[in-house]
Amino acid sequence: MSTAATAAPATESSWPVLGMTCASCAGRVEKAARVVPGVLQADVNLATETVHVQAGPGFDPLALQLAVQKAGYDLPTATVQLPVLGMTCASCVGRVEKALLKVPGVVEANVNLANETASVTLSAQGSVDTLVAAVQRAGYEVGPVQGADGTAAQGLALAQRKPPLLGEGARVVIAVLLSLPLVLPMVAMLWGQHLMPPPWWQWALATPVQFWLGARFYRAGWGALRAGTGNMDLLVALGTSAAYGLSLFTLLRGASPHGGDLYFESSAVVITLVLLGKWLEARARRQTTEAIRALQALRPQTAQVKRDGVELTLPMAQVVAGDQVVVRPGERLPVDGVVADGNSDVDESLITGESLPVSRGVGDAVTGGAINGAGLLLIRTTTVGAESVLSRIVRLVETAQGRKAPIQRLVDQVSAVFVPAVGAVALVTLLAWGFGVGDWDRAVLHAVAVLVIACPCALGLATPAAIMAGTGVAAQRGILIKDAQALELAHGIKTVAWDKTGTLTVGKPKLVEAQAHDGDRPTLLAQAAALQAGSSHPLALAVLQAASEGANDGASEGASDGQAPAPIVATQLNTVAGRGVAGTLGGSGLRLGSARWMQESGLDLTATAEAVAPLQAQGCTVSYLAKLPSGGPPQLLGWLAFGDSAKPSAADAISRLAALGVRSVLLSGDNRGAAAHLGQLLGLSDIRAEVLPQDKARIVGELKSALHGSERVAMVGDGINDAPALAAADVGIAMGTGTDVAMHAAGITLMRGEPGLVADAIDISRRTHAKIRQNLFWAFAFNAIGIPLAAFGQLSPVIAGGAMAMSSFAVVSNALLLRRWRGAGRD
């Protein structure tokens, strides 16, 4: 049998945990997971009942499963059979097993060469798509995939929790029906009516509630005792058992005929109320994961693939990069890719938050999960499975919801001592009332009330419920928050540093004017294009487009054969960050870049100042082309001016930030004239121009040092050169229209190149943080007030049970109010 003990690079994965009920449970699972060899960090989310694990080499999922089971809980798994085609020897077996064991969520993998199958044990966070992709990367093919029950399972999440034979709702109903005959007579006694059932009828009604419907509390409480700790279930089990045991003892000793000195109703009603509270809490918690379920529902299970001229309906697990996928009007795009044929409007609202459909034609990139409009599209697949944009979004949101916010550490410390402290208070209450008043019946009831009301559930749910609701609603509007720390830090943002190109501007500059020193403009453009060959920088694309249009014009007007002249090819190309690009052409060096670089190279640009000044005043960026012959002085060949317009919503975005009390700072590598012009258009007063990439990170550091206390600095960018500044900021915010490097360095990613989303991200962070503080206040206040009242005999066990049950439901419901958020200043 092969396990995951094989050394592997650091990975992150989330595992469902069955049996957790309160913050004490979460702390115990977390503690058990952290001591597993290879586990670097473990964070338990009580709201989603998952443990998020960061693991390094040597991590064995089986060891994690055993550790969690030893702590009294369980990690559910399921087995999938993968037909693996193409294996020929034992080395193939080892290769496939190794590939499978690297997949997040794989607990165990066994490959059988004889029947060419791989039996894979997965946690609930695993999927068949990722398994198939791993086998294919290893160089083998996968046949039709079967689940453990023999049914097709491609693309489906596995090991979903099995519902109990009797649903939670039905258990609550039965508990209510059994408890009502015990409660209603208590109400009638307020009017002098004594209608209590006979003592043995009370016992008959309370016993099923105590030991059948309440069995879950005994099981979980016993697990906590075996692990040497306590939890909410233990408190409920001890409290209700004390009330039930006292009543049974009195009954056997000889109770009054009316049963007035029995307390069976207390134990039964407490269990009923706790069950009701857990059911309401579970329903509310499911609503906090709606964003994830909505994103997962965007994944089609099949695709219409055209291979060798034949259109086939294939499961998504069998679609590979390079396949051509046919998408008809109204269908959901099954893959990420590029439009190979056709035009249509595509609705990407559930992915990017963009409310209006966007036009897509040949050469345009499209995202799986979007809805096709009225046109027929043929898409060339670029990514599938776990590497698709939709899968990465889901993974990012799940990771954010699985990690703990820094404020949760305080809750964990309190929860670690909470249950033992409550037990001590209950014992003191019992002894004080018993010896002090001499009424041991009342002493037991007051001690029971202390045990019952002290529920750590609300503490455990206060932070994760708010984080899940906040990150979920943000994701639905195109704001992806990488982790809980970024969400918590963003609420304190007081300064936002903006990159210019592609962030506040459209990011598609065009060549406005070009002047050659010798008057040969086509040659100037051709030489500049030779230096920019292969570059994806916005200015490079503008040069290449202008050079191509110039070459075509020259071919049609001047070339005798109607063909464009052969392009000039430069060698030894080298990009100098923040300055420009250099290369060699005809034995001489060429440089295309900023005025600063030219001056550093020894060029005098005084002669060009009069010509370029008006363009710079209009916001244009000017680049200079210079020749550096070997052994001779540098020569200016000419200059090129580029214009880039501000995004239509940029000024409004700056204004909305100001309304939130956030200052905006412009960081630009362009000349001062271009930066000042944009700043004037957008209402920006703090402008830093001619800033090199490494200087952006330094300026961000200076902005951070100028703030105080919990005030934070955010950096907004979209390019590779912005990555150092994004990482240096307290919170990096990357435009999803930019580079992957920028998005990896950022804590928040905006799926649309929309500056206004920055204000939305800060606003949802502030509202989420406010919900966390509200929840924690009420959770702490509830226990701080309730426990003394119960200890001093001011709360009956029934009232305590009802209050405890409602506290967790109230905390989750308060967090769910975040779903009403519509954006900064819009709700």
Side-chain angles (χ1 to χ4, degrees):
M1 180 176 72
S2 174
T3 69
T6 307
T11 59
E12 295 189 14
S13 56
S14 296
W15 304 75
V17 182
L18 296 183
M20 294 192 300
T21 58
C22 66
S24 297
C25 299
R28 193 155 71 252
V29 173
E30 203 168 81
K31 184 177 180 181
R34 285 177 175 172
V35 298
V36 173
V39 172
L40 306 176
Q41 180 66 27
D43 296 307
V44 173
N45 187 325
L46 179 61
T48 56
E49 298 182 66
T50 57
V51 55
H52 183 82
V53 176
Q54 297 181 42
F59 170 62
D60 185 353
L62 281 177
L64 175 66
Q65 189 174 32
L66 292 173
V68 173
Q69 288 175 342
K70 187 176 180 181
Y73 305 91
D74 191 24
L75 298 182
T77 59
T79 302
V80 174
Q81 302 296 327
L82 292 179
V84 181
L85 310 178
M87 296 188 299
T88 58
C89 63
S91 63
C92 297
V93 171
R95 196 162 149 196
V96 173
E97 285 185 349
K98 186 176 181 180
L100 290 171
L101 291 171
K102 290 181 179 179
V103 176
V106 172
V107 177
E108 188 177 2
N110 294 286
V111 177
N112 189 320
L113 181 61
N115 58 14
E116 296 185 300
T117 61
S119 179
V120 184
T121 301
L122 281 175
S123 75
Q125 62 116 31
S127 72
V128 178
D129 287 349
T130 55
L131 299 180
V132 172
V135 173
Q136 290 174 341
R137 284 195 300 270
Y140 303 91
E141 294 298 323
V142 179
V145 183
Q146 299 292 316
D149 57 355
T151 58
Q154 287 101 325
L156 298 176
L158 299 178
Q160 299 301 316
R161 295 172 179 83
K162 295 181 180 179
L165 295 177
L166 191 62
E168 291 296 322
R171 287 175 175 268
V172 171
V173 171
I174 294 174
V176 169
L177 294 176
L178 292 172
S179 300
L180 275 178
L182 299 173
V183 175
L184 293 179
M186 299 290 294
V187 177
M189 289 176 65
L190 298 176
W191 285 272
Q193 301 295 321
H194 297 278
L195 303 175
M196 287 297 294
W200 286 104
W201 275 102
Q202 294 183 43
W203 170 82
L205 290 169
T207 299
V209 178
Q210 184 73 39
F211 297 108
W212 174 41
L213 300 175
R216 55 177 290 176
F217 302 115
Y218 288 99
R219 286 194 296 266
W222 174 244
L225 281 177
R226 285 192 305 168
T229 60
N231 60 7
M232 182 273 291
D233 300 286
L234 182 61
L235 296 179
V236 173
L238 287 175
T240 58
S241 296
Y244 180 89
L246 175 62
S247 301
L248 182 60
F249 174 75
T250 303
L251 175 62
L252 294 176
R253 190 178 57 184
S256 65
H258 298 292
D261 50 355
L262 301 179
Y263 307 102
F264 284 119
E265 82 285 346
S266 295
S267 65
V269 173
V270 165
I271 288 179
T272 299
L273 289 174
V274 174
L275 290 175
L276 175 63
K278 299 301 289 183
W279 177 65
L280 292 173
E281 174 194 318
R283 287 190 61 192
R285 276 160 48 179
R286 280 195 293 271
Q287 295 179 49
T288 64
T289 60
E290 277 187 358
I292 289 290
R293 293 201 302 272
L295 289 170
Q296 290 173 333
L298 300 182
R299 295 169 169 156
Q301 301 302 312
T302 61
Q304 303 296 318
V305 180
K306 183 177 285 188
R307 291 179 179 173
D308 299 326
V310 179
E311 191 172 316
L312 305 171
T313 301
L314 297 178
M316 285 304 304
Q318 297 183 20
V319 180
V320 298
D323 274 341
Q324 291 195 330
V325 176
V326 179
V327 184
R328 293 178 172 78
E331 292 182 345
R332 205 174 283 281
L333 276 62
V335 296
D336 294 352
V338 177
V339 177
D341 189 24
N343 291 277
S344 185
D345 291 331
V346 177
D347 181 359
E348 300 177 344
S349 58
L350 285 176
I351 301 171
T352 65
E354 175 62 60
S355 58
L356 298 176
V358 291
S359 179
R360 293 289 184 258
V362 176
D364 290 334
V366 290
T367 304
I371 300 175
N372 186 24
L376 179 69
L377 294 178
L378 182 65
I379 300 172
R380 177 174 54 80
T381 304
T382 54
T383 56
V384 293
E387 298 306 314
S388 67
V389 169
L390 184 58
S391 294
R392 289 161 62 190
I393 290 174
V394 171
R395 200 157 55 240
L396 190 62
V397 177
E398 287 177 333
T399 299
Q401 293 184 344
R403 288 183 176 172
K404 287 189 175 181
I407 197 172
Q408 181 69 14
R409 306 299 173 188
L410 171 62
V411 178
D412 293 343
Q413 293 172 4
V414 173
S415 299
V417 298
F418 187 83
V419 175
V422 169
V425 172
L427 179 61
V428 171
T429 300
L430 175 68
L431 297 177
W433 280 93
F435 288 110
V437 180
D439 189 342
W440 285 96
D441 287 1
R442 290 177 63 190
V444 170
L445 287 180
H446 297 332
V448 168
V450 170
L451 292 172
V452 170
I453 200 169
C455 173
C457 285
L459 286 174
L461 291 170
T463 300
I467 288 175
M468 290 172 62
T471 54
V473 74
Q476 290 177 327
R477 286 158 181 79
I479 303 169
L480 298 183
I481 300 171
K482 181 182 290 185
D483 53 41
Q485 183 172 3
L487 180 69
E488 186 168 338
L489 290 176
H491 88 276
I493 291 175
K494 289 298 182 181
T495 301
V496 173
W498 294 86
D499 173 52
K500 172 178 171 284
T501 304
T503 303
L504 290 173
T505 65
V506 175
K508 295 183 179 179
K510 294 184 178 180
L511 184 67
V512 176
E513 191 170 339
Q515 286 191 12
H517 188 67
D518 58 3
D520 189 356
R521 186 176 185 273
T523 299
L524 176 74
L525 292 177
Q527 291 173 330
L531 292 177
Q532 300 285 21
S535 174
S536 59
H537 191 280
L539 295 184
L541 297 178
V543 169
L544 294 171
Q545 181 180 356
S548 175
E549 292 172 353
N552 291 334
D553 292 341
S556 59
E557 295 177 8
S560 60
D561 56 0
Q563 298 294 319
I568 298 174
V569 178
T571 58
Q572 300 180 2
L573 298 177
N574 178 39
T575 299
V576 181
R579 286 173 168 80
V581 63
T584 302
L585 182 65
S588 298
L590 284 183
R591 286 186 178 180
L592 175 66
S594 65
R596 173 189 289 188
W597 197 24
M598 295 301 119
Q599 291 165 349
E600 291 173 353
S601 302
L603 276 172
D604 183 5
L605 302 179
T606 305
T608 67
E610 184 176 352
V612 302
L615 293 168
Q616 291 178 333
Q618 297 172 15
C620 291
T621 299
V622 179
S623 295
Y624 299 86
L625 181 66
K627 182 178 181 181
L628 282 72
S630 57
Q635 304 170 13
L636 180 65
L637 300 181
W639 52 266
L640 301 89
F642 304 89
D644 187 13
S645 58
K647 290 182 177 178
S649 60
D652 180 62
I654 301 299
S655 176
R656 288 172 60 198
L657 283 175
L660 292 173
V662 178
R663 178 172 68 112
S664 293
V665 179
L666 178 63
L667 306 184
S668 174
D670 294 337
N671 62 75
R672 296 186 182 279
H677 178 73
L678 179 66
Q680 184 177 8
L681 289 177
L682 303 183
L684 286 165
S685 57
D686 194 340
I687 300 167
R688 318 289 176 92
E690 299 180 1
V691 178
L692 299 176
Q694 58 269 30
D695 291 335
K696 288 183 180 179
R698 176 183 56 78
I699 293 174
V700 167
E702 293 174 355
L703 293 173
K704 288 170 64 176
S705 63
L707 297 178
H708 306 284
S710 61
E711 296 178 337
R712 307 295 180 190
V713 173
M715 171 70 194
V716 186
D718 72 331
I720 293 176
N721 60 349
D722 297 323
L726 290 170
D730 293 307
V731 181
I733 303 177
M735 294 288 185
T737 52
T739 64
D740 285 344
V741 174
M743 286 185 277
H744 283 306
I748 298 176
T749 298
L750 309 179
M751 291 303 294
R752 308 193 307 277
E754 172 59 61
L757 290 179
V758 174
D760 286 342
I762 295 174
D763 188 59
I764 189 59
S765 172
R766 290 182 178 181
R767 291 174 185 251
T768 302
H769 191 260
K771 289 298 179 187
I772 292 174
R773 286 183 298 168
Q774 292 168 14
N775 285 348
L776 288 177
F777 170 79
W778 288 113
F780 279 113
F782 171 83
N783 286 288
I785 296 173
I787 292 176
L789 286 177
F792 285 103
Q794 301 302 307
L795 290 179
S796 72
V798 171
I799 295 176
M804 183 268 283
M806 291 300 103
S807 64
S808 298
F809 176 66
V811 162
V812 179
S813 298
N814 185 44
L816 286 175
L817 293 176
L818 287 168
R819 297 194 305 166
R820 298 166 54 186
W821 178 79
R822 294 293 178 268
R826 298 193 184 99
D827 55 338

